[in-house]
Amino acid sequence: MPAAPAVRRPVRTVPVLRWLRASLLRSAAILALLALWEAAPRLGLVDATFLPPVSEVARAWWELLGDGQLGEHTRASLTRSFGGFAIAVVVAVPLGLLIGWYRPVAAFLGPLLELFRNTAALALLPVFVLLLGIGETSKVSIVVYACVWPILLNTISAVGNADPTLVRLARSMNLSTPRLFQKVILPASVPAVFTGIRLAGAVSILVLVAAEMIGAKAGLGYLINASQFNFAIPQMYAGIVTISAIGVAFNQVLVAVERRLSLWRVPA
């Protein structure tokens, strides 16, 4: 009896095609921007002296990477930025939970928090320099100050907006305050808290770069400022592109962490 012919399984190309289509759609605007950046100086639409083609910027970036300058400056900036950001998260999240839970404390401190939140961190940079000097302490401190407020205020709001029905239900089950926080308040607060953390992540890089432009001997802000003074324009844009790439990568990491901590949520 002849053997039955082998059945060929259909190749599942539809998910791959969808992924490729989605990737192209997401990257289309970036590719268009790069193409415009490359073409505009070469066609004389802008002065190539002040806006060199993206290929020259890429060449300058590779040279900075090859001679170690880019790595050195990036390492200095990341150490300051992530150090200040981590301190802000450790301080602001527990403090925000505490203030948000005790309403009289929130009402008492609310005006003071609003005052400091609306005081620009860079406006206080001279104060930090006078009090802490021009070393690493003042730079990390200004990052901590700038990052604390979005995390703190979003955490306070998250706790205050927790579903009162769930809170009452948890209390009716005689849950202790620590268990109430663990089972109800913290899970419900994750999205709003991470909104503040993502805002603080962007702020930590932007504020630090500005601080490095004023007084530093290393860092991406220093690299950009020094390149401008030396009229090394491609190197200046290489530093700017590096900052943008770090910001995007850092935000994606925070988004992944938020998704990991929000697996309990049911999609709408």
Side-chain angles (χ1 to χ4, degrees):
M1 184 174 181
V7 178
R8 292 186 179 181
R9 294 183 178 180
V11 180
R12 297 184 177 181
T13 59
V14 175
V16 177
L17 292 177
R18 289 178 179 173
W19 179 82
L20 289 175
R21 190 181 301 112
S23 300
L24 290 175
L25 183 62
R26 286 195 299 267
S27 59
I30 300 297
L31 295 176
L33 175 63
L34 294 177
L36 179 62
W37 187 355
E38 179 70 24
R42 297 191 181 280
L43 297 176
L45 301 178
V46 295
D47 192 340
T49 304
F50 303 108
L51 183 64
V54 68
S55 57
E56 293 186 15
V57 175
R59 190 180 307 114
W61 186 91
W62 186 256
E63 291 173 356
L64 288 172
L65 181 65
D67 61 19
Q69 291 188 58
L70 187 64
E72 176 186 354
H73 293 301
T74 302
R75 185 164 51 252
S77 290
L78 291 182
T79 301
R80 297 163 182 157
S81 180
F82 289 172
F85 171 79
I87 294 172
V89 171
V90 170
V91 171
V93 172
L95 186 60
L97 293 173
L98 180 65
I99 296 175
W101 182 251
Y102 295 103
R103 300 297 177 87
V105 178
F108 176 72
L109 294 178
L112 189 62
L113 296 179
E114 286 295 323
L115 173 64
F116 279 105
R117 184 189 71 162
N118 290 287
T119 303
L122 292 179
L124 295 177
L125 180 59
V127 178
F128 281 90
V129 172
L130 286 174
L131 296 177
L132 304 174
I134 60 173
E136 298 299 310
T137 305
S138 62
K139 295 178 181 61
V140 174
S141 298
I142 196 70
V143 172
V144 173
Y145 177 86
C147 292
V148 157
W149 304 112
I151 301 174
L152 180 64
L153 295 175
N154 275 274
T155 304
I156 294 173
S157 176
V159 176
N161 293 328
D163 191 343
T165 303
L166 292 178
V167 175
R168 287 194 298 269
L169 179 61
R171 288 189 183 281
S172 68
M173 298 174 65
N174 295 324
L175 288 182
S176 62
T177 299
R179 294 285 292 173
L180 177 62
F181 264 87
Q182 179 185 0
K183 296 298 184 179
V184 178
I185 303 300
L186 288 179
S189 302
V190 166
V193 171
F194 262 88
T195 298
I197 289 176
R198 289 171 62 186
L199 290 172
V203 168
S204 68
I205 297 174
L206 298 178
V207 170
L208 176 66
V209 168
E212 288 176 342
M213 289 181 176
I214 296 175
K217 294 183 179 179
L220 293 172
Y222 168 80
L223 172 65
I224 294 170
N225 211 31
S227 299
Q228 179 194 13
F229 282 133
N230 296 324
F231 213 71
I233 304 302
Q235 286 79 1
M236 181 189 75
Y237 282 105
I240 295 173
V241 169
T242 302
I243 293 170
S244 299
I246 291 173
V248 171
F250 190 29
N251 182 70
Q252 291 302 312
V253 170
L254 294 177
V255 169
V257 174
E258 179 184 0
R259 288 175 179 170
R260 177 67 178 176
L261 295 177
S262 303
L263 294 177
W264 59 271
R265 299 176 66 190
V266 179

